[in-house]
DNA sequence: TCGTGTCTTTACCAAATGGTAAAAAAGTGA
DNA sequence: TCACTTTTTTACCATTTGGTAAAGACACGA
C-alpha cells in the first residue's frame, strides 16, 4: 500500500543515451579512430564545467536528494533542459562530480613517500588534509554526504579505488613502525583519526563556527592542535 | 524563471494547528488547570514513540529531504494521514526528534566532573562518546546530517544549549591545564577532536566497514587507539 | 550565403510527495 | 447500551520535480 519511494524522482521513460557521450561522428583527418566520439568543443567544456561547479555548490550544501536540477541550473546560469543536454540526468551529474573529486581527495595519501622520514611524512599529510578541508570544504561535504547516506553511488569506488590504496598505506605505516621511527599504533585507526579530525573542520563547520567564532583561532589553532596531537602520538 | 525550490514540498494551505497539541478540553476533576491540554493517552504515547523511532531510522539514513512521510509511515506500521494526526507535519517530526536527542547527546559532556581527576574524566568522556557512536549510530548520523546541511533546524539550539555548555567545559579543561595535571593544548580543539574521532565511527561507517571489515578490530581497536591517542596528548 | 550540425529555449508531462477533508471505526465512561 | 470522543481510513488535491519533444537560434566551413 505505502511503498518505498522511488529515490530518483519520476521514472525515466527511455534509456537516456546518445545525449553527449554517444553521438554520430563526422570524421576528421586528424583523428586516428573515426569511431570515437568527437573531442568536446570549447562551449561544451565551458558549460560542462560550469554545471559541475554549480552542482558542487548545490549538492554539497543540500545533499543529493535535497538538491534540484532547477537549483543547479540557476546556479550555473543555464536552463534546466540545457543542463540535461550536457548530462544524462541528475544522477549523472552527481556521479561525474564524485569520480572527478575522488582523485583530488586521495592525492595527498598517494603522495606520502614510503622512503621519506615517517614523522615528517605523516605530519605533512595531516597538514595537507587540513588545508584541503579549509580550502575545499564543499568537496569534503560532498563526500561526507555521500558516505553518511551509506555511499549509495560511491560504494564500488570505495572498494575499487580507496581500499587498495588504504591497504597499501597502512602497510607502509606498519613498516615505519617496525623500524622504530614512530611509535606503534593501529595504522588503520591512525588514518581514520587523521581523516576525522581534519575533515571535521569542513563537515561540521556550522557547529565549529558557532562554538569558536574566531576564524583565526579556528584555522591556525586547528593546525597547532593537530600538530601537537599527532606529534605526541607518533613520538617513538 | 527558475526559482529556488520550496524545500518543504507542497505549500501548506492553512496553519496546521489544533491537531494534537491544541485541542478542545473536556474538564477533569483531577486536573488542576482545566485550560491545559489533556495528558496523552496510552495509545497516543505508543504511536508517537513508534513514529519517532521510525523517523529516526529513516531520517538518519536518508537525511531530511531524502526521507518521505510514506517511508516513515511504513516503517512505523501506520498510514500517512495517521502519522499526520500525531504530528503537525514532516518538519514537526524532525524537530521533535532533534530536540529529544539533543540532551542524550550532550549528557556525557555534562557528566564530566570538574573535581574529578582530569585524565580520568577526559578518557572516560572519550570512551562514553565512542560507546554512544557504536551503540547509537542513528542518532549520531541524524545530527551529522543536520550539521552538514548547515544546521537549518538546529542552529538556535546550538547557540542556546550547546554553546554555553561548551564554553563552561572548555573553561573547566583550561583550569585543569593550569593545575598542571594535564598537558596544555587548546581545549576547544581538544573537544572537537574527541567528537570527530568518536563520531567518525558512526557517521562514516559505510567507509570504515569497507576498509576494516573486521568488526572486532573496528570496535575494540578504536577504543585502544583513542585511549592511546588521548593519553599521550594529555600526559603532563 | 547557404546548409549542416551544435546549442538553447519553450512548452509540456507523469510521478512523487506533503498534506487535507470527511466519514467510518474503535474506544470509553455512565 | 448510548452518547461522545479519539483514532484510523479512504479518497483526494496542489506543488514540486526529473525529464522530454520539438522548434528555434546560433556557429561555421565551403
Amino acid at each position: 500500500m505505502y511503498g518505498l519511494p522511488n529515490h530518483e524522482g519520476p521514472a525515466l521513460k527511455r534509456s537516456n543515451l546518445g545525449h553527449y557521450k554517444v553521438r554520430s561522428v563526422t570524421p576528421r583527418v586528424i583523428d586516428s579512430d573515426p569511431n570515437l566520439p568527437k573531442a568536446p568543443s570549447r562551449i561544451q567544456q565551458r558549460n560542462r564545467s560550469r554545471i559541475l561547479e554549480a552542482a558542487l555548490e548545490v549538492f554539497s550544501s543540500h545533499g543529493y536528494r535535497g538538491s534540484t536540477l532547477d537549483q543547479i541550473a540557476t546556479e550555473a546560469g543555464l536552463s534546466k533542459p540545457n543542463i540535461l543536454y550536457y548530462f544524462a540526468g541528475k544522477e549523472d551529474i552527481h556521479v561525474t562530480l564524485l569520480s572527478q573529486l575522488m582523485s583530488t581527495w586521495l592525492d595527498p595519501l598517494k603522495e606520502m613517500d614510503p622512503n621519506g622520514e615517517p614523522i615528517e611524512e605523516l605530519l605533512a599529510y595531516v597538514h595537507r588534509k587540513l588545508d584541503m578541508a579549509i580550502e575545499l570544504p564543499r568537496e569534503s561535504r560532498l563526500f561526507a554526504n555521500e558516505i553518511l547516506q551509506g555511499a549509495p553511488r560511491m560504494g564500488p569506488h570505495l572498494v575499487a579505488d580507496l581500499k587498495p590504496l588504504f591497504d597499501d598505506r597502512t602497510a607502509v605505516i606498519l613498516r615505519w613502525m617496525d623500524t622504530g621511527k614512530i611509535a606503534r599504533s593501529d595504522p588503520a585507526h591512525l588514518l581514520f583519526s587523521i581523516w576525522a579530525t581534519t575533515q571535521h573542520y569542513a563537515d561540521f563547520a556550522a557547529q565549529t563556527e558557532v562554538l569558536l567564532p574566531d576564524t583565526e583561532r579556528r584555522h591556525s589553532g586547528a593546525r597547532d592542535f593537530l600538530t601537537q596531537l599527532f606529534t605526541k602520538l607518533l613520538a617513538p
Side-chain angles (χ1 to χ4, degrees), chain A residues 152-176:
Chain A
R153 273 166 274 277
M154 228 182 30
H157 260 300
L158 291 184
V159 178
D161 299 346
L162 179 54
K163 181 81 161 68
L165 181 59
F166 178 80
D167 288 342
D168 178 63
R169 299 286 102 170
T170 49
V172 167
I173 295 174
L174 206 54
R175 260 179 272 134
W176 285 343

PDB file of all heavy atoms in Angstrom, chain A residues 152-176:
ATOM      1  N   PRO A 152      25.674   5.234  -1.479  1.00  0.00           N
ATOM      2  CA  PRO A 152      24.873   4.517  -2.462  1.00  0.00           C
ATOM      3  C   PRO A 152      25.443   4.600  -3.870  1.00  0.00           C
ATOM      4  O   PRO A 152      25.267   3.693  -4.663  1.00  0.00           O
ATOM      5  CB  PRO A 152      23.508   5.208  -2.388  1.00  0.00           C
ATOM      6  CG  PRO A 152      23.790   6.567  -1.856  1.00  0.00           C
ATOM      7  CD  PRO A 152      24.951   6.394  -0.920  1.00  0.00           C
ATOM      8  N   ARG A 153      26.141   5.704  -4.165  1.00  0.00           N
ATOM      9  CA  ARG A 153      26.654   5.872  -5.524  1.00  0.00           C
ATOM     10  C   ARG A 153      28.163   5.730  -5.570  1.00  0.00           C
ATOM     11  O   ARG A 153      28.764   5.796  -6.616  1.00  0.00           O
ATOM     12  CB  ARG A 153      26.260   7.252  -6.062  1.00  0.00           C
ATOM     13  CG  ARG A 153      24.897   7.282  -6.709  1.00  0.00           C
ATOM     14  CD  ARG A 153      24.435   8.708  -6.914  1.00  0.00           C
ATOM     15  NE  ARG A 153      23.769   9.206  -5.722  1.00  0.00           N
ATOM     16  CZ  ARG A 153      22.488   8.963  -5.453  1.00  0.00           C
ATOM     17  NH1 ARG A 153      21.764   8.263  -6.295  1.00  0.00           N
ATOM     18  NH2 ARG A 153      21.944   9.402  -4.336  1.00  0.00           N
ATOM     19  N   MET A 154      28.789   5.568  -4.417  1.00  0.00           N
ATOM     20  CA  MET A 154      30.245   5.539  -4.412  1.00  0.00           C
ATOM     21  C   MET A 154      30.806   4.243  -3.837  1.00  0.00           C
ATOM     22  O   MET A 154      32.029   4.056  -3.844  1.00  0.00           O
ATOM     23  CB  MET A 154      30.786   6.728  -3.618  1.00  0.00           C
ATOM     24  CG  MET A 154      31.869   7.471  -4.359  1.00  0.00           C
ATOM     25  SD  MET A 154      32.561   8.838  -3.419  1.00  0.00           S
ATOM     26  CE  MET A 154      32.406   8.312  -1.746  1.00  0.00           C
ATOM     27  N   GLY A 155      29.936   3.386  -3.349  1.00  0.00           N
ATOM     28  CA  GLY A 155      30.370   2.136  -2.750  1.00  0.00           C
ATOM     29  C   GLY A 155      31.395   1.393  -3.591  1.00  0.00           C
ATOM     30  O   GLY A 155      32.484   1.069  -3.095  1.00  0.00           O
ATOM     31  N   PRO A 156      31.087   1.124  -4.852  1.00  0.00           N
ATOM     32  CA  PRO A 156      32.038   0.410  -5.706  1.00  0.00           C
ATOM     33  C   PRO A 156      33.380   1.123  -5.805  1.00  0.00           C
ATOM     34  O   PRO A 156      34.431   0.483  -5.757  1.00  0.00           O
ATOM     35  CB  PRO A 156      31.333   0.403  -7.073  1.00  0.00           C
ATOM     36  CG  PRO A 156      29.885   0.545  -6.750  1.00  0.00           C
ATOM     37  CD  PRO A 156      29.797   1.382  -5.521  1.00  0.00           C
ATOM     38  N   HIS A 157      33.314   2.464  -5.938  1.00  0.00           N
ATOM     39  CA  HIS A 157      34.543   3.252  -5.985  1.00  0.00           C
ATOM     40  C   HIS A 157      35.393   3.028  -4.739  1.00  0.00           C
ATOM     41  O   HIS A 157      36.612   2.918  -4.810  1.00  0.00           O
ATOM     42  CB  HIS A 157      34.196   4.740  -6.093  1.00  0.00           C
ATOM     43  CG  HIS A 157      34.309   5.266  -7.483  1.00  0.00           C
ATOM     44  ND1 HIS A 157      35.476   5.240  -8.202  1.00  0.00           N
ATOM     45  CD2 HIS A 157      33.404   5.835  -8.308  1.00  0.00           C
ATOM     46  CE1 HIS A 157      35.283   5.774  -9.395  1.00  0.00           C
ATOM     47  NE2 HIS A 157      34.031   6.138  -9.493  1.00  0.00           N
ATOM     48  N   LEU A 158      34.734   2.983  -3.598  1.00  0.00           N
ATOM     49  CA  LEU A 158      35.467   2.788  -2.352  1.00  0.00           C
ATOM     50  C   LEU A 158      36.231   1.473  -2.389  1.00  0.00           C
ATOM     51  O   LEU A 158      37.414   1.410  -2.050  1.00  0.00           O
ATOM     52  CB  LEU A 158      34.508   2.784  -1.159  1.00  0.00           C
ATOM     53  CG  LEU A 158      33.818   4.101  -0.791  1.00  0.00           C
ATOM     54  CD1 LEU A 158      32.988   3.938   0.452  1.00  0.00           C
ATOM     55  CD2 LEU A 158      34.845   5.202  -0.606  1.00  0.00           C
ATOM     56  N   VAL A 159      35.533   0.450  -2.786  1.00  0.00           N
ATOM     57  CA  VAL A 159      36.154  -0.871  -2.820  1.00  0.00           C
ATOM     58  C   VAL A 159      37.269  -0.921  -3.859  1.00  0.00           C
ATOM     59  O   VAL A 159      38.361  -1.445  -3.609  1.00  0.00           O
ATOM     60  CB  VAL A 159      35.101  -1.959  -3.123  1.00  0.00           C
ATOM     61  CG1 VAL A 159      35.763  -3.319  -3.194  1.00  0.00           C
ATOM     62  CG2 VAL A 159      33.995  -1.933  -2.071  1.00  0.00           C
ATOM     63  N   ALA A 160      36.996  -0.356  -5.035  1.00  0.00           N
ATOM     64  CA  ALA A 160      37.945  -0.493  -6.144  1.00  0.00           C
ATOM     65  C   ALA A 160      39.140   0.443  -6.015  1.00  0.00           C
ATOM     66  O   ALA A 160      40.271   0.050  -6.339  1.00  0.00           O
ATOM     67  CB  ALA A 160      37.235  -0.239  -7.475  1.00  0.00           C
ATOM     68  N   ASP A 161      38.912   1.673  -5.581  1.00  0.00           N
ATOM     69  CA  ASP A 161      39.999   2.662  -5.581  1.00  0.00           C
ATOM     70  C   ASP A 161      40.600   2.881  -4.189  1.00  0.00           C
ATOM     71  O   ASP A 161      41.812   2.857  -4.019  1.00  0.00           O
ATOM     72  CB  ASP A 161      39.477   4.006  -6.114  1.00  0.00           C
ATOM     73  CG  ASP A 161      38.969   3.886  -7.534  1.00  0.00           C
ATOM     74  OD1 ASP A 161      39.271   2.855  -8.176  1.00  0.00           O
ATOM     75  OD2 ASP A 161      38.272   4.802  -8.000  1.00  0.00           O
ATOM     76  N   LEU A 162      39.717   3.130  -3.234  1.00  0.00           N
ATOM     77  CA  LEU A 162      40.228   3.520  -1.922  1.00  0.00           C
ATOM     78  C   LEU A 162      40.834   2.341  -1.161  1.00  0.00           C
ATOM     79  O   LEU A 162      41.920   2.439  -0.590  1.00  0.00           O
ATOM     80  CB  LEU A 162      39.097   4.153  -1.100  1.00  0.00           C
ATOM     81  CG  LEU A 162      39.463   4.593   0.310  1.00  0.00           C
ATOM     82  CD1 LEU A 162      40.665   5.525   0.290  1.00  0.00           C
ATOM     83  CD2 LEU A 162      38.284   5.270   0.994  1.00  0.00           C
ATOM     84  N   LYS A 163      40.125   1.232  -1.156  1.00  0.00           N
ATOM     85  CA  LYS A 163      40.572   0.071  -0.369  1.00  0.00           C
ATOM     86  C   LYS A 163      42.012  -0.353  -0.695  1.00  0.00           C
ATOM     87  O   LYS A 163      42.828  -0.507   0.234  1.00  0.00           O
ATOM     88  CB  LYS A 163      39.597  -1.091  -0.579  1.00  0.00           C
ATOM     89  CG  LYS A 163      39.942  -2.362   0.199  1.00  0.00           C
ATOM     90  CD  LYS A 163      39.488  -2.280   1.643  1.00  0.00           C
ATOM     91  CE  LYS A 163      39.376  -3.632   2.322  1.00  0.00           C
ATOM     92  NZ  LYS A 163      40.651  -4.318   2.548  1.00  0.00           N
ATOM     93  N   PRO A 164      42.363  -0.534  -1.963  1.00  0.00           N
ATOM     94  CA  PRO A 164      43.740  -0.956  -2.255  1.00  0.00           C
ATOM     95  C   PRO A 164      44.763   0.060  -1.776  1.00  0.00           C
ATOM     96  O   PRO A 164      45.786  -0.317  -1.184  1.00  0.00           O
ATOM     97  CB  PRO A 164      43.762  -1.032  -3.790  1.00  0.00           C
ATOM     98  CG  PRO A 164      42.345  -1.105  -4.213  1.00  0.00           C
ATOM     99  CD  PRO A 164      41.540  -0.399  -3.173  1.00  0.00           C
ATOM    100  N   LEU A 165      44.465   1.342  -2.022  1.00  0.00           N
ATOM    101  CA  LEU A 165      45.377   2.389  -1.571  1.00  0.00           C
ATOM    102  C   LEU A 165      45.494   2.366  -0.053  1.00  0.00           C
ATOM    103  O   LEU A 165      46.602   2.470   0.503  1.00  0.00           O
ATOM    104  CB  LEU A 165      44.848   3.746  -2.044  1.00  0.00           C
ATOM    105  CG  LEU A 165      45.690   4.963  -1.684  1.00  0.00           C
ATOM    106  CD1 LEU A 165      47.092   4.838  -2.267  1.00  0.00           C
ATOM    107  CD2 LEU A 165      45.031   6.243  -2.166  1.00  0.00           C
ATOM    108  N   PHE A 166      44.370   2.206   0.599  1.00  0.00           N
ATOM    109  CA  PHE A 166      44.349   2.170   2.063  1.00  0.00           C
ATOM    110  C   PHE A 166      45.201   1.021   2.588  1.00  0.00           C
ATOM    111  O   PHE A 166      46.031   1.197   3.489  1.00  0.00           O
ATOM    112  CB  PHE A 166      42.895   2.017   2.525  1.00  0.00           C
ATOM    113  CG  PHE A 166      42.719   1.918   4.013  1.00  0.00           C
ATOM    114  CD1 PHE A 166      42.734   3.045   4.809  1.00  0.00           C
ATOM    115  CD2 PHE A 166      42.513   0.674   4.617  1.00  0.00           C
ATOM    116  CE1 PHE A 166      42.542   2.952   6.177  1.00  0.00           C
ATOM    117  CE2 PHE A 166      42.328   0.578   5.982  1.00  0.00           C
ATOM    118  CZ  PHE A 166      42.347   1.716   6.771  1.00  0.00           C
ATOM    119  N   ASP A 167      45.016  -0.148   2.004  1.00  0.00           N
ATOM    120  CA  ASP A 167      45.781  -1.312   2.444  1.00  0.00           C
ATOM    121  C   ASP A 167      47.278  -1.097   2.241  1.00  0.00           C
ATOM    122  O   ASP A 167      48.097  -1.442   3.095  1.00  0.00           O
ATOM    123  CB  ASP A 167      45.324  -2.568   1.681  1.00  0.00           C
ATOM    124  CG  ASP A 167      43.943  -3.024   2.137  1.00  0.00           C
ATOM    125  OD1 ASP A 167      43.514  -2.603   3.234  1.00  0.00           O
ATOM    126  OD2 ASP A 167      43.287  -3.781   1.394  1.00  0.00           O
ATOM    127  N   ASP A 168      47.593  -0.482   1.105  1.00  0.00           N
ATOM    128  CA  ASP A 168      48.991  -0.226   0.819  1.00  0.00           C
ATOM    129  C   ASP A 168      49.591   0.747   1.834  1.00  0.00           C
ATOM    130  O   ASP A 168      50.678   0.517   2.383  1.00  0.00           O
ATOM    131  CB  ASP A 168      49.119   0.359  -0.589  1.00  0.00           C
ATOM    132  CG  ASP A 168      50.554   0.702  -0.922  1.00  0.00           C
ATOM    133  OD1 ASP A 168      51.373  -0.233  -0.963  1.00  0.00           O
ATOM    134  OD2 ASP A 168      50.858   1.900  -1.109  1.00  0.00           O
ATOM    135  N   ARG A 169      48.845   1.830   2.101  1.00  0.00           N
ATOM    136  CA  ARG A 169      49.381   2.859   3.003  1.00  0.00           C
ATOM    137  C   ARG A 169      49.480   2.367   4.449  1.00  0.00           C
ATOM    138  O   ARG A 169      50.411   2.712   5.158  1.00  0.00           O
ATOM    139  CB  ARG A 169      48.501   4.113   2.944  1.00  0.00           C
ATOM    140  CG  ARG A 169      48.426   4.738   1.573  1.00  0.00           C
ATOM    141  CD  ARG A 169      49.713   5.449   1.226  1.00  0.00           C
ATOM    142  NE  ARG A 169      50.567   4.681   0.318  1.00  0.00           N
ATOM    143  CZ  ARG A 169      51.636   5.165  -0.280  1.00  0.00           C
ATOM    144  NH1 ARG A 169      52.001   6.426  -0.079  1.00  0.00           N
ATOM    145  NH2 ARG A 169      52.369   4.411  -1.067  1.00  0.00           N
ATOM    146  N   THR A 170      48.508   1.580   4.885  1.00  0.00           N
ATOM    147  CA  THR A 170      48.610   1.058   6.248  1.00  0.00           C
ATOM    148  C   THR A 170      49.813   0.116   6.346  1.00  0.00           C
ATOM    149  O   THR A 170      50.473   0.061   7.380  1.00  0.00           O
ATOM    150  CB  THR A 170      47.330   0.318   6.666  1.00  0.00           C
ATOM    151  OG1 THR A 170      46.959  -0.614   5.649  1.00  0.00           O
ATOM    152  CG2 THR A 170      46.190   1.296   6.902  1.00  0.00           C
ATOM    153  N   ALA A 171      50.098  -0.594   5.267  1.00  0.00           N
ATOM    154  CA  ALA A 171      51.266  -1.474   5.277  1.00  0.00           C
ATOM    155  C   ALA A 171      52.556  -0.658   5.387  1.00  0.00           C
ATOM    156  O   ALA A 171      53.479  -1.020   6.134  1.00  0.00           O
ATOM    157  CB  ALA A 171      51.286  -2.331   4.010  1.00  0.00           C
ATOM    158  N   VAL A 172      52.585   0.444   4.644  1.00  0.00           N
ATOM    159  CA  VAL A 172      53.754   1.324   4.719  1.00  0.00           C
ATOM    160  C   VAL A 172      53.954   1.837   6.138  1.00  0.00           C
ATOM    161  O   VAL A 172      55.062   1.792   6.692  1.00  0.00           O
ATOM    162  CB  VAL A 172      53.597   2.514   3.746  1.00  0.00           C
ATOM    163  CG1 VAL A 172      54.640   3.594   4.038  1.00  0.00           C
ATOM    164  CG2 VAL A 172      53.711   2.045   2.307  1.00  0.00           C
ATOM    165  N   ILE A 173      52.857   2.297   6.709  1.00  0.00           N
ATOM    166  CA  ILE A 173      52.943   2.841   8.074  1.00  0.00           C
ATOM    167  C   ILE A 173      53.406   1.763   9.055  1.00  0.00           C
ATOM    168  O   ILE A 173      54.209   2.010   9.956  1.00  0.00           O
ATOM    169  CB  ILE A 173      51.584   3.427   8.498  1.00  0.00           C
ATOM    170  CG1 ILE A 173      51.234   4.632   7.609  1.00  0.00           C
ATOM    171  CG2 ILE A 173      51.600   3.845   9.963  1.00  0.00           C
ATOM    172  CD1 ILE A 173      49.859   5.195   7.845  1.00  0.00           C
ATOM    173  N   LEU A 174      52.912   0.561   8.852  1.00  0.00           N
ATOM    174  CA  LEU A 174      53.312  -0.546   9.723  1.00  0.00           C
ATOM    175  C   LEU A 174      54.814  -0.800   9.617  1.00  0.00           C
ATOM    176  O   LEU A 174      55.504  -1.056  10.621  1.00  0.00           O
ATOM    177  CB  LEU A 174      52.523  -1.806   9.332  1.00  0.00           C
ATOM    178  CG  LEU A 174      52.311  -2.848  10.425  1.00  0.00           C
ATOM    179  CD1 LEU A 174      51.666  -2.206  11.652  1.00  0.00           C
ATOM    180  CD2 LEU A 174      51.429  -3.984   9.910  1.00  0.00           C
ATOM    181  N   ARG A 175      55.318  -0.702   8.401  1.00  0.00           N
ATOM    182  CA  ARG A 175      56.765  -0.892   8.228  1.00  0.00           C
ATOM    183  C   ARG A 175      57.546   0.212   8.938  1.00  0.00           C
ATOM    184  O   ARG A 175      58.577  -0.042   9.569  1.00  0.00           O
ATOM    185  CB  ARG A 175      57.119  -0.913   6.725  1.00  0.00           C
ATOM    186  CG  ARG A 175      57.304  -2.338   6.196  1.00  0.00           C
ATOM    187  CD  ARG A 175      57.632  -2.344   4.713  1.00  0.00           C
ATOM    188  NE  ARG A 175      56.411  -2.372   3.901  1.00  0.00           N
ATOM    189  CZ  ARG A 175      56.180  -1.596   2.846  1.00  0.00           C
ATOM    190  NH1 ARG A 175      57.085  -0.696   2.474  1.00  0.00           N
ATOM    191  NH2 ARG A 175      55.054  -1.689   2.172  1.00  0.00           N
ATOM    192  N   TRP A 176      57.017   1.429   8.841  1.00  0.00           N
ATOM    193  CA  TRP A 176      57.657   2.532   9.566  1.00  0.00           C
ATOM    194  C   TRP A 176      57.706   2.224  11.063  1.00  0.00           C
ATOM    195  O   TRP A 176      58.697   2.497  11.738  1.00  0.00           O
ATOM    196  CB  TRP A 176      56.885   3.834   9.331  1.00  0.00           C
ATOM    197  CG  TRP A 176      57.105   4.446   7.980  1.00  0.00           C
ATOM    198  CD1 TRP A 176      58.125   4.156   7.117  1.00  0.00           C
ATOM    199  CD2 TRP A 176      56.315   5.454   7.349  1.00  0.00           C
ATOM    200  NE1 TRP A 176      58.016   4.905   5.975  1.00  0.00           N
ATOM    201  CE2 TRP A 176      56.902   5.727   6.080  1.00  0.00           C
ATOM    202  CE3 TRP A 176      55.168   6.162   7.695  1.00  0.00           C
ATOM    203  CZ2 TRP A 176      56.395   6.667   5.197  1.00  0.00           C
ATOM    204  CZ3 TRP A 176      54.663   7.102   6.815  1.00  0.00           C
ATOM    205  CH2 TRP A 176      55.267   7.350   5.575  1.00  0.00           C
TER     206      TRP A 176
END
